[in-house]
Amino acid sequence: MSIIVFVEDWNNVFKKASFEAVSYAKSWADLAGTSVTAITSTHAQDPGTLATYGADRILTLSLSATPFGTAQQLAAMAEEATGIVIAGTSFGRSVAPALAALANGSLSTNTTSIPSSIAPVTVERGAFSSKGIETIELSGNLPIVSFVPNSIGIVETHGIGAVSSFDAAGTDLLTVTDKTVASGKVALPEAEVVVSAGRGLKGPENWAMIEELATVLGAATACSKPVSDIGWRPHSEHVGQTGIQVNPNLYIAIGISGAIQHLAGVSASKTIVVVNTDTEAPFFKAADYGIVGDAFEVVPQLVNAMRAFKAEQ
Amino acid sequence: MNILVCISHVPDTTAKINFDAAGKGLDSTGVQFVINPYDEFSLTKALHLKEAHGGSITVLNVGGSETEPTLRKALAIGADQAIRINATPTDAITVAKELKNHIAAQSYDLILCGQESIDYNGQQVPAMLGALLNLPFVNACVDLTIDGSQATATGEIDGGHETYSGTLPLVVGGKKGLVEEKDLRIPNMRGIMTARSKPLAVAEPTENGAATQAVKFVKPAAKSAVKLVDSVDELVHLLHNEAKAI
Ligand SMILES: Cc1cc2nc3c(=O)[nH]c(=O)nc-3n(C[C@H](O)[C@H](O)[C@H](O)COP(=O)(O)OP(=O)(O)OC[C@H]3O[C@@H](n4cnc5c(N)ncnc54)[C@H](O)[C@@H]3O)c2cc1C
Ligand SMILES: Nc1ncnc2c1ncn2[C@@H]1O[C@H](COP(=O)(O)O)[C@@H](O)[C@H]1O
């Protein structure tokens, strides 16, 4: 028996959230007094590196292209699992519930803590769009945890790291006909820093300074809902209750009023900075640091100050 | 085309969320409930598909009688019939199994859900349903075209999109993009009047036994007052030394 962790790669390179998933599995395995088994693609580069985060056994297999096929493959391991960990990436968010249904598991998604107890497995998860924190017991069969990327952190440790191959069948019920991913950009759900802007920026032509700030900080860019509704920015950047929910270490909100629906998707961020001309903007109530000022003056200054800071590091 | 839209009944996005004194669940005093915003995109997509291909739209909720106004609203927007499975589910697998049992006894070409319900933020029911029914599933679906028995669907993935093709029936977790915000329909007087005479059937649940147990709910700790700073240099200094965020 062991804690099984699904390790996702992107173009054969492990995702950052995958290292976090192995770290999660390691914390859980230590509590349960068991080992960590990582499951990953045969194409992944250097599977042995997973030992750095605590993997004792690394099984590689020819992974299915769709979440359903992958869930079937993971379900083949269910008998050996004390528990299963899956990072809440877009792929993982489809795999975990399918796996719970196939393996008759007990699932927590949107999880933000490691287990506080293992009999039964008890974790915290976000509910009501970060307006609430739920403590949940995985009281059924086979506990499965899907966690919010960047909520646990990556921990380096030592695992045995024995790599071997493994075979399990998965059926893809769909054919992937096209895949497009913006290259060179930090994916929003995994980002440690997010630079986000709203209607206060007046028009899409003013986003260059936002992108520049994001580049300096190695950040992902995001926006408020009206900004994506008007088409100034792509839908995929819309954060909030009805958009992507983020929890970076740092969220910088520029020209965003801080409506309740916006805050619902970003308030889990560890540190929030607000730049707004209006001292009464509700966002200041949810912020750690604020600058009352015009984005068109403050942002270029901030780009320079951050660039100077980064150069010193 | 026979379309099922699964509707979740959730607090309005502007609702202030409070929990009961024991922290066992939501204190619904003063909370307005609405059709889950993601489901509204799916419902509107169903209307568009019906207009193009003909057929019928069923809306379904697994919930207590308090959810009926939400189902009536879906009828007023244009669904043909509603079903309420009379249970108060405490987790997603219970909902998914109820839905599966209903669907297995019917012949739907398409099962449209929302990507996620904004109350418990599970993002679980649709993928579970696909797996239980052995049907293809597309999450975060932002585009869907149907051509005979073939479906082409695009879903958001981290940092991009993926397009799939498959055969109906298909299960979808929909969101904005499936239709646009401006396409969403507000029930008009006529819709509300005709909704009254549309069927809303109540069925008894067939499953019991949840796989998880909510122990307690709390609100996140309140933020301390914002620190207003005058210069970007001071901000960078604080972010580095105090918040350790950079
Ligand atoms: C069902 C529903 C769901 C919703 N979901 C979401 C969601 O998921 N995400 C979301 O973001 N919204 C959501 N909304 C919309 C939300 O209610 C707000 O309308 C929206 O967040 C406001 O966007 P904004 O802050 O960019 O624009 P505004 O409210 O127009 O605010 C612009 C801000 O910019 C400031 N400003 C103006 N000029 C400058 C300047 N030169 N420099 C600095 N600051 C300046 C202003 O003081 C103001 O505070 C939802 C609404 C509904 C009804
Ligand atoms: N009680 C329910 N009754 C009907 N459909 C539901 C119910 N709960 C969830 N769903 C559907 O599943 C989707 C995702 O919900 P969830 O998995 O709870 O986040 C929702 O958008 C609905 O389409």
Side-chain angles (χ1 to χ4, degrees):
Chain A
M1 300 295 281
S2 63
I3 302 293
I4 290 182
V5 51
F6 171 60
V7 179
E8 193 183 338
D9 67 283
W10 178 251
N11 286 339
N12 309 331
V13 176
F14 292 129
K15 289 194 149 194
K16 202 182 79 195
S18 296
F19 298 140
E20 196 176 7
V22 179
S23 300
Y24 192 112
K26 175 65 179 163
S27 309
W28 185 356
D30 285 348
L31 280 170
T34 184
S35 60
V36 174
T37 299
I39 298 196
T40 194
S41 161
T42 40
H43 301 295
Q45 284 166 13
D46 203 5
T49 51
L50 298 176
T52 320
Y53 309 100
D56 296 308
R57 194 164 56 133
I58 299 147
L59 301 180
T60 63
L61 82 166
S62 178
L63 271 182
S64 191
T66 63
F68 180 69
T70 304
Q72 283 184 319
Q73 292 176 311
L74 293 174
M77 292 292 293
E79 302 256 296
E80 285 187 48
T82 306
I84 301 183
V85 178
I86 298 176
T89 59
S90 68
F91 195 77
R93 290 197 305 271
S94 290
V95 173
L99 174 61
L102 294 173
N104 190 25
S106 172
L107 172 66
S108 171
T109 51
N110 213 25
T111 309
T112 52
S113 80
I114 59 163
S116 58
S117 150
I118 52 159
V121 171
T122 307
V123 291
E124 285 182 0
R125 62 182 300 280
F128 298 96
S129 310
S130 304
K131 295 178 201 167
I133 300 165
E134 176 182 6
T135 304
I136 187 173
E137 287 179 359
L138 305 184
S139 45
N141 200 12
L142 183 61
I144 304 173
V145 170
S146 162
F147 67 92
V148 180
N150 207 35
S151 62
I152 310 299
I154 296 172
V155 182
E156 292 200 9
T157 158
H158 295 286
I160 299 164
V163 182
S164 57
S165 64
F166 162 70
D167 197 20
T171 317
D172 292 324
L173 300 174
L174 289 166
T175 315
V176 179
T177 56
D178 188 37
K179 193 169 190 151
T180 42
V181 171
S183 60
K185 283 207 154 191
V186 184
L188 204 39
E190 277 187 73
E192 282 177 32
V193 181
V194 174
V195 178
S196 187
R199 209 147 53 176
L201 277 241
K202 315 274 190 281
E205 66 282 4
N206 297 324
W207 248 264
M209 61 182 186
I210 300 299
E211 291 192 326
E212 202 179 351
L213 182 58
T215 306
V216 172
L217 290 169
T221 49
C223 68
S224 68
K225 179 170 175 289
V227 161
S228 73
D229 285 345
I230 332 164
W232 292 357
R233 300 296 291 176
H235 278 327
S236 53
E237 282 196 1
H238 155 202
V239 293
Q241 183 154 25
T242 54
I244 293 175
Q245 321 236 328
V246 294
N247 72 328
N249 296 336
L250 177 60
Y251 184 81
I252 304 181
I254 298 158
I256 303 176
S257 57
I260 188 166
Q261 297 97 346
H262 186 86
L263 296 181
V266 308
S267 60
S269 308
K270 286 164 201 90
T271 301
I272 296 179
V273 172
V274 167
V275 178
N276 199 303
T277 40
D278 177 9
T279 38
E280 299 295 314
F283 220 143
F284 283 118
K285 291 207 177 64
D288 299 282
Y289 303 103
I291 295 188
V292 178
D294 186 338
F296 296 94
E297 285 166 26
V298 176
V299 177
Q301 289 171 8
L302 192 55
V303 170
N304 288 336
M306 286 293 185
R307 191 172 279 137
F309 168 78
K310 291 282 174 185
E312 271 173 33
Q313 292 298 296
Chain B
M1 220 176 150
N2 236 337
I3 307 174
L4 179 70
V5 186
C6 302
I7 303 274
S8 156
H9 161 90
V10 300
D12 170 37
T13 60
T14 57
K16 295 251 186 314
I17 297 299
N18 290 301
F19 300 106
D20 58 29
K24 287 292 171 197
L26 179 72
D27 175 0
S28 55
T29 317
V31 174
Q32 275 271 97
F33 283 80
V34 295
I35 299 177
N36 183 39
Y38 290 101
D39 305 352
E40 233 181 304
F41 290 102
S42 287
L43 175 59
T44 312
K45 181 68 188 182
L47 298 173
H48 288 185
L49 288 169
K50 181 184 161 179
E51 282 153 15
H53 303 278
S56 152
I57 302 170
T58 305
V59 287
L60 195 162
N61 170 263
V62 183
S65 56
E66 70 282 1
T67 72
E68 287 190 6
T70 297
L71 285 173
R72 284 274 174 225
K73 184 173 172 203
L75 292 173
I77 290 172
D80 298 294
Q81 52 187 321
I83 298 166
R84 179 173 67 82
I85 298 179
N86 186 27
T88 305
T90 54
D91 70 358
I93 194 71
T94 319
V95 175
K97 285 180 177 168
E98 291 296 346
L99 293 172
K100 180 204 97 178
N101 293 342
H102 168 80
I103 293 164
Q106 306 292 322
S107 55
Y108 293 110
D109 302 299
L110 192 59
I111 296 132
L112 298 179
C113 300
Q115 167 189 290
E116 160 177 350
S117 46
I118 63 163
D119 49 2
Y120 296 98
N121 307 110
Q123 207 167 138
Q124 296 187 11
V125 171
M128 285 175 166
L129 187 57
L132 292 172
L133 290 163
N134 204 35
L135 290 180
F137 164 64
V138 175
N139 197 19
C141 187
V142 291
D143 192 30
L144 173 66
T145 48
I146 307 286
D147 183 6
S149 64
Q150 281 301 113
T152 306
T154 300
E156 280 182 0
I157 57 171
D158 296 338
H161 294 94
E162 199 162 63
T163 302
Y164 316 87
S165 72
T167 0
L168 298 180
L170 170 75
V171 181
V172 163
K175 66 185 300 183
K176 183 173 80 180
L178 208 47
V179 299
E180 291 309 318
E181 193 101 0
K182 61 172 170 38
D183 299 325
L184 297 178
R185 298 182 191 179
I186 297 159
N188 57 25
M189 207 29 130
R190 196 167 150 265
I192 295 167
M193 296 303 286
T194 48
R196 289 195 191 144
S197 56
K198 288 179 180 171
L200 191 167
V202 179
E204 285 311 310
T206 45
E207 295 283 337
N208 57 18
T212 63
Q213 190 76 49
V215 184
K216 138 181 126 196
F217 291 91
V218 293
K219 295 217 265 183
K223 281 254 175 193
S224 47
V226 59
K227 245 186 210 172
L228 291 179
V229 297
D230 295 322
S231 79
V232 292
D233 292 324
E234 192 184 347
L235 178 65
V236 170
H237 176 82
L238 287 168
L239 286 176
H240 180 59
N241 295 299
E242 189 178 77
K244 312 227 179 297
I246 53 171

